[in-house]
Amino acid sequence: MHFSIQKNILQEAVSKVQKAVTGKSTMPILQGILIQAINGKLILLGSDKDLTIEATVDAEINTEGKIVVDSRLFGDLIRKLPNDNIEISTNENSTLTIKCLKSNATLVHMLADDYPAIPTIQEEKSITLPQNMLKNMIKSTIFATAHDETRPIFTGVLFEVKDNKVNLVAMDGYRVAIRTEGIDTNVELNNVIPGKTLSEVSKILEDSEEVINILFTTNHILFDLGKTKVISRLLEGEFIKYDSIIPKEYLLKTIARKDDLLNSIDRASLIGKEGKTNLVKLDIQEEKMIITSNSQLGMAREEININLQGDDLKIAFNSKYLMDILKIMDSEEVEMEFSTNVNPCIVKNKGKNNCTYLLLPVRMVE
Amino acid sequence: MHFSIQKNILQEAVSKVQKAVTGKSTMPILQGILIQAINGKLILLGSDKDLTIEATVDAEINTEGKIVVDSRLFGDLIRKLPNDNIEISTNENSTLTIKCLKSNATLVHMLADDYPAIPTIQEEKSITLPQNMLKNMIKSTIFATAHDETRPIFTGVLFEVKDNKVNLVAMDGYRVAIRTEGIDTNVELNNVIPGKTLSEVSKILEDSEEVINILFTTNHILFDLGKTKVISRLLEGEFIKYDSIIPKEYLLKTIARKDDLLNSIDRASLIGKEGKTNLVKLDIQEEKMIITSNSQLGMAREEININLQGDDLKIAFNSKYLMDILKIMDSEEVEMEFSTNVNPCIVKNKGKNNCTYLLLPVRMVE
């Protein structure tokens, strides 16, 4: 193998594929990046078996070949080289020589034949979405996935396409996040994507209308950005029927300025956090909501203006969960729908039907 | 106690004094900030006994008084309040009420009488320096202090004034850092200031010609910035006579572009770092320096142009120590003076006599 490439092009490709090299696999070769010089292209690949990222870049290929090189050492070295042409070639003794101006490094490499096979994606179903739309949808739901593995399906996000809509849904037993956008397609989909995969995809997506092509097979998903591809296994098992969990009716509804609500809960939560309860109480009255929290360290009382349709209510929440929701909402005003202080609360952007958040209250001892 | 103050003014003062609340003391009251409302001023004070920071701000004092409040909780709360007028008052049950617009918090406070006495500084000797000069001098030397306590004197920086010069000197057994500036004073000083103190002072100093007044007593130092004061104990014991360690003569001298040298060592060190030796070898020849490093992971060879006065030399260093020095130097070109590969190397800014760095080589096995 022998090729030349500009440093910044190589560095960008390396840092993309490095995101899939997590070190959580027990196979030492997965600490490496697979580098393939073939057909006038350089194809880099990083993987932890569940998630694989591939980047293809143009390079001047003198001799084709493929090797595996330690991800961290190779990545650090490329990053620190001057921004000039880099020449990389293999030697007979399983080493790789990297030359750039007067810099010269020789690294031991691993064999490409030992690298595990990457799942081949035989297209079964596919859809196309603008990158910025998908990025927003991921951000709006991923926080509600579970982080422990007791119910593995909750560590993923449901990717559902039906009735000309794409829905992303995450839940962890205490809350549900649903984000919806319109899509013009006949395809129907119902797959659960690991949260870790979507988190990495989100970092690669750009804030532009450029589209991304998403392909599904029975067990895998491929996010195809042309020069960058992300392949991930899908989670097995059935996602909860979220539709049946979301209450269709409510007894009272409040409209509040999102920042007022978020900042007030944030301050009140300082007291509860110190007391390790994380509890905030909402006292919903006509025209105002009083937010309180107390612990052995003291107490906080916040008051914000609201618009109330319906009767008064006192209800308590885990402040962190409520703030998680409010932090990622993007409208100036939020609507909250309640029934009783033991029924879930629904939070929505005011006047927009693109997201629905459900949060279970905490039972108050009074 | 009862006073009013603008949020941003209070927040700035709190975040200054919080720097001295390290949590390393076993006295619970030192987790708090002492707040004193007196003579139309608000005086805040944080301390870990060794280091004390005091900030004085204007406030509208309705009733004088003093209390101690938890540093983290109070600081977080003030930071999260809206930027408006804050009213703070004590209640009869050892609590403190903080009001800002519609926010209202009540915190349990501690008693000011339980707060340990802060050393009073009876001026014995003092000097005045521009803030930016002192900030630069600290940055240029503090990295060379020792971080372990086996020889406590090495955790400090010598602050020496003599012959119309102020010298800051740090060393840790492997390297010495000396930074010198001219000063017009008759005072003579020879004190060792804890590294931790200088590190915090450096964060408070501004990049301006505004002066800072520094007062010394037998056991303490006071950095007086007017509204902010930093009081620290001095380290006991005699600092090493650094003058006698610095070689006055050399056999060869190189001049190199600092960035070339730093970047080359940085890259070469990647290989040595992986091998846990941290070793880089310099092969100094006429017109060029060849920098190499090797471990079981591979090897690196870097070449830079230099100007050499004297004979060739091969010498090895701990790459981290050499980079620490080069990173904080501010001239385009650096001079290095060598004798043999077991004698210390001296590094200086080219054409400037404001700093001297000494570094011991690592003995090469060949």
Side-chain angles (χ1 to χ4, degrees):
Chain A
M1 188 177 77
H2 182 191
F3 63 89
S4 301
I5 188 167
Q6 280 292 314
K7 169 242 163 86
N8 52 357
I9 296 174
L10 182 57
Q11 185 185 333
E12 197 186 328
V14 169
S15 63
K16 270 184 193 160
V17 305
Q18 276 185 323
K19 294 194 172 73
V21 182
T22 58
K24 79 174 185 190
S25 161
T26 51
M27 291 175 69
I29 199 155
L30 290 182
Q31 297 296 334
I33 293 173
L34 174 63
I35 301 178
Q36 303 174 80
I38 190 167
N39 294 334
K41 302 277 183 193
L42 195 67
I43 305 169
L44 276 68
L45 203 138
S47 179
D48 73 350
K49 283 213 101 173
D50 287 343
L51 172 68
T52 302
I53 301 177
E54 180 189 287
T56 303
V57 286
D58 291 323
E60 196 187 312
I61 311 289
N62 299 98
T63 313
E64 294 190 342
K66 50 186 183 176
I67 52 100
V68 178
V69 66
D70 184 76
S71 164
R72 196 157 63 90
L73 180 56
F74 184 72
D76 285 353
L77 188 64
I78 299 301
R79 189 165 45 80
K80 287 175 188 255
L81 282 173
N83 196 5
D84 210 289
N85 191 59
I86 299 179
E87 191 185 341
I88 296 185
S89 56
T90 48
N91 311 308
E92 298 215 328
N93 58 349
S94 286
T95 60
L96 186 74
T97 296
I98 301 161
K99 284 185 199 167
C100 181
L101 298 176
K102 291 185 183 174
S103 292
N104 206 312
T106 301
L107 308 183
V108 174
H109 69 71
M110 295 171 272
L111 300 181
D113 290 345
D114 296 336
Y115 202 82
I118 299 308
T120 46
I121 302 296
Q122 300 279 348
E123 177 173 346
E124 293 179 7
K125 292 178 181 178
S126 77
I127 62 163
T128 298
L129 292 176
Q131 292 193 33
N132 53 358
M133 182 199 284
L134 180 60
K135 196 176 170 99
N136 268 329
M137 294 184 81
I138 295 172
K139 184 183 135 203
S140 305
T141 48
I142 199 166
F143 72 91
T145 54
H147 294 287
D148 67 78
E149 296 274 341
T150 45
R151 296 180 69 179
I153 198 82
F154 281 173
T155 64
V157 176
L158 173 68
F159 196 103
E160 180 186 55
V161 178
K162 67 174 183 186
D163 308 335
N164 282 317
K165 277 184 187 160
V166 51
N167 304 313
L168 263 61
V169 185
M171 63 172 78
D172 67 357
Y174 303 102
R175 52 191 173 166
V176 183
I178 306 171
R179 187 76 158 76
T180 299
E181 291 286 351
I183 183 177
D184 189 12
T185 181
N186 295 321
V187 170
E188 293 216 346
L189 285 168
N190 191 302
N191 293 110
V192 185
I193 308 170
K196 156 83 180 147
T197 298
L198 287 183
S199 166
E200 294 309 332
V201 166
S202 167
K203 288 175 200 161
I204 292 170
L205 290 171
E206 288 177 17
D207 282 317
S208 83
E209 305 268 330
E210 290 272 316
V211 297
I212 176 169
N213 202 19
I214 310 174
L215 286 67
F216 291 83
T217 69
T218 314
N219 298 313
H220 288 91
I221 185 170
L222 165 62
F223 295 89
D224 190 346
L225 285 150
K227 297 201 159 185
T228 309
K229 291 183 173 60
V230 179
I231 300 163
S232 164
R233 72 178 172 94
L234 293 168
L235 289 182
E236 286 171 29
E238 189 106 4
F239 206 75
I240 312 299
K241 299 231 173 307
Y242 67 93
D243 250 353
S244 60
I245 302 175
I246 307 295
K248 300 288 174 286
E249 293 173 350
Y250 56 87
L251 294 178
L252 64 150
K253 178 162 126 176
T254 63
I255 298 172
R257 285 181 51 85
K258 190 199 64 174
D259 286 347
D260 286 355
L261 188 57
L262 177 57
N263 293 337
S264 293
I265 296 171
D266 193 14
R267 286 189 291 267
S269 72
L270 288 174
I271 305 281
K273 197 158 61 188
E274 293 285 334
K276 296 194 201 314
T277 62
N278 257 345
L279 196 80
V280 286
K281 294 178 193 166
L282 312 188
D283 181 355
I284 300 164
Q285 305 175 8
E286 202 172 328
E287 303 293 313
K288 67 182 178 189
M289 185 188 288
I290 295 160
I291 299 155
T292 56
S293 175
N294 57 68
S295 71
Q296 74 278 16
L297 293 182
M299 57 193 210
R301 183 188 188 279
E302 296 276 337
E303 192 178 313
I304 63 168
N305 295 327
I306 58 164
N307 179 293
L308 171 64
Q309 297 162 23
D311 286 338
D312 293 3
L313 179 73
K314 287 182 183 170
I315 188 166
F317 292 100
N318 179 315
S319 59
K320 183 187 170 302
Y321 285 172
L322 193 46
M323 284 195 286
D324 279 352
I325 293 171
L326 295 168
K327 271 178 193 163
I328 54 93
M329 295 183 77
D330 49 15
S331 67
E332 262 193 41
E333 291 185 300
V334 292
E335 293 180 1
M336 298 175 82
E337 299 167 0
F338 304 87
S339 289
T340 74
N341 65 10
V342 293
N343 287 101
C345 158
I346 297 293
V347 189
K348 292 177 177 176
N349 284 323
K350 190 198 159 197
K352 273 197 265 183
N353 225 348
N354 60 351
C355 66
T356 304
Y357 297 105
L358 176 148
L359 180 57
L360 291 182
V362 178
R363 209 174 279 260
M364 285 193 289
V365 191
E366 286 196 282
Chain B
M1 187 178 73
H2 182 189
F3 63 89
S4 302
I5 188 167
Q6 278 294 312
K7 170 241 164 84
N8 53 355
I9 295 175
L10 181 57
Q11 185 185 333
E12 198 188 326
V14 169
S15 64
K16 270 183 192 160
V17 304
Q18 276 186 323
K19 294 194 173 74
V21 183
T22 58
K24 77 172 189 193
S25 161
T26 51
M27 290 174 72
I29 200 155
L30 290 182
Q31 298 295 335
I33 293 174
L34 175 63
I35 300 179
Q36 302 174 82
I38 188 169
N39 294 336
K41 302 278 182 193
L42 195 68
I43 306 168
L44 275 69
L45 201 139
S47 178
D48 73 350
K49 283 213 97 169
D50 286 345
L51 172 66
T52 301
I53 302 178
E54 180 190 287
T56 304
V57 285
D58 290 323
E60 197 188 312
I61 311 289
N62 300 98
T63 314
E64 295 190 341
K66 50 186 183 175
I67 53 100
V68 178
V69 66
D70 184 76
S71 166
R72 196 156 64 90
L73 179 57
F74 183 72
D76 285 351
L77 186 66
I78 299 301
R79 190 165 46 80
K80 287 175 190 256
L81 282 174
N83 196 3
D84 209 290
N85 191 58
I86 299 179
E87 190 184 340
I88 296 184
S89 55
T90 47
N91 310 308
E92 295 216 329
N93 59 348
S94 285
T95 60
L96 187 73
T97 296
I98 302 161
K99 283 186 199 167
C100 181
L101 299 176
K102 291 183 182 176
S103 293
N104 206 312
T106 302
L107 308 181
V108 174
H109 69 70
M110 295 171 271
L111 300 181
D113 290 346
D114 295 338
Y115 201 83
I118 299 307
T120 44
I121 302 296
Q122 300 278 348
E123 178 173 344
E124 292 180 7
K125 292 178 179 178
S126 78
I127 63 161
T128 298
L129 291 176
Q131 292 192 34
N132 55 356
M133 181 201 284
L134 179 60
K135 194 177 171 101
N136 268 329
M137 294 183 81
I138 294 173
K139 182 183 138 206
S140 306
T141 47
I142 199 166
F143 71 93
T145 53
H147 294 289
D148 69 76
E149 296 273 342
T150 46
R151 294 181 71 180
I153 198 84
F154 281 173
T155 64
V157 176
L158 174 67
F159 196 103
E160 180 186 57
V161 178
K162 66 175 183 185
D163 307 334
N164 281 318
K165 279 184 186 159
V166 51
N167 304 312
L168 262 62
V169 185
M171 62 172 78
D172 67 359
Y174 304 101
R175 52 192 172 165
V176 183
I178 306 170
R179 187 76 159 73
T180 300
E181 292 284 350
I183 184 177
D184 189 13
T185 180
N186 294 323
V187 171
E188 294 217 344
L189 285 166
N190 192 302
N191 293 108
V192 184
I193 308 169
K196 156 82 180 148
T197 298
L198 287 183
S199 166
E200 296 306 334
V201 166
S202 168
K203 289 174 199 161
I204 292 170
L205 290 172
E206 289 176 17
D207 282 317
S208 82
E209 305 269 329
E210 291 272 317
V211 297
I212 177 170
N213 202 20
I214 310 175
L215 285 67
F216 291 84
T217 69
T218 314
N219 297 314
H220 289 91
I221 184 170
L222 164 63
F223 295 89
D224 189 347
L225 284 149
K227 296 201 160 186
T228 310
K229 292 183 172 59
V230 179
I231 300 162
S232 165
R233 71 177 173 94
L234 293 167
L235 290 180
E236 285 171 31
E238 189 107 3
F239 206 75
I240 312 298
K241 300 232 172 305
Y242 67 93
D243 249 354
S244 59
I245 301 175
I246 307 295
K248 300 287 173 286
E249 291 173 350
Y250 57 88
L251 293 177
L252 63 151
K253 174 163 128 177
T254 64
I255 298 172
R257 284 180 52 83
K258 189 198 66 174
D259 287 346
D260 288 355
L261 187 58
L262 177 57
N263 294 336
S264 294
I265 295 169
D266 194 13
R267 286 189 292 268
S269 72
L270 286 174
I271 306 280
K273 198 158 58 187
E274 293 285 334
K276 297 196 199 316
T277 61
N278 258 344
L279 196 78
V280 286
K281 293 178 195 167
L282 313 187
D283 181 356
I284 300 163
Q285 305 176 9
E286 202 172 329
E287 302 293 311
K288 67 184 178 187
M289 185 188 291
I290 296 160
I291 298 154
T292 56
S293 175
N294 58 67
S295 71
Q296 74 278 18
L297 294 181
M299 57 193 212
R301 183 188 187 279
E302 298 276 337
E303 192 178 313
I304 63 169
N305 295 328
I306 59 164
N307 179 293
L308 171 64
Q309 296 163 25
D311 287 337
D312 293 0
L313 179 73
K314 288 182 183 172
I315 188 166
F317 292 101
N318 178 316
S319 58
K320 183 188 170 300
Y321 285 172
L322 193 45
M323 284 195 287
D324 278 352
I325 292 171
L326 294 168
K327 273 179 193 163
I328 54 94
M329 295 182 77
D330 50 13
S331 68
E332 264 193 40
E333 292 186 300
V334 292
E335 294 181 359
M336 298 173 81
E337 299 168 359
F338 304 88
S339 289
T340 76
N341 64 10
V342 292
N343 288 101
C345 158
I346 297 292
V347 189
K348 292 177 178 178
N349 285 322
K350 189 196 160 198
K352 272 197 266 182
N353 226 348
N354 59 350
C355 66
T356 304
Y357 297 105
L358 175 148
L359 180 59
L360 292 182
V362 178
R363 208 173 281 259
M364 285 193 290
V365 192
E366 287 196 281

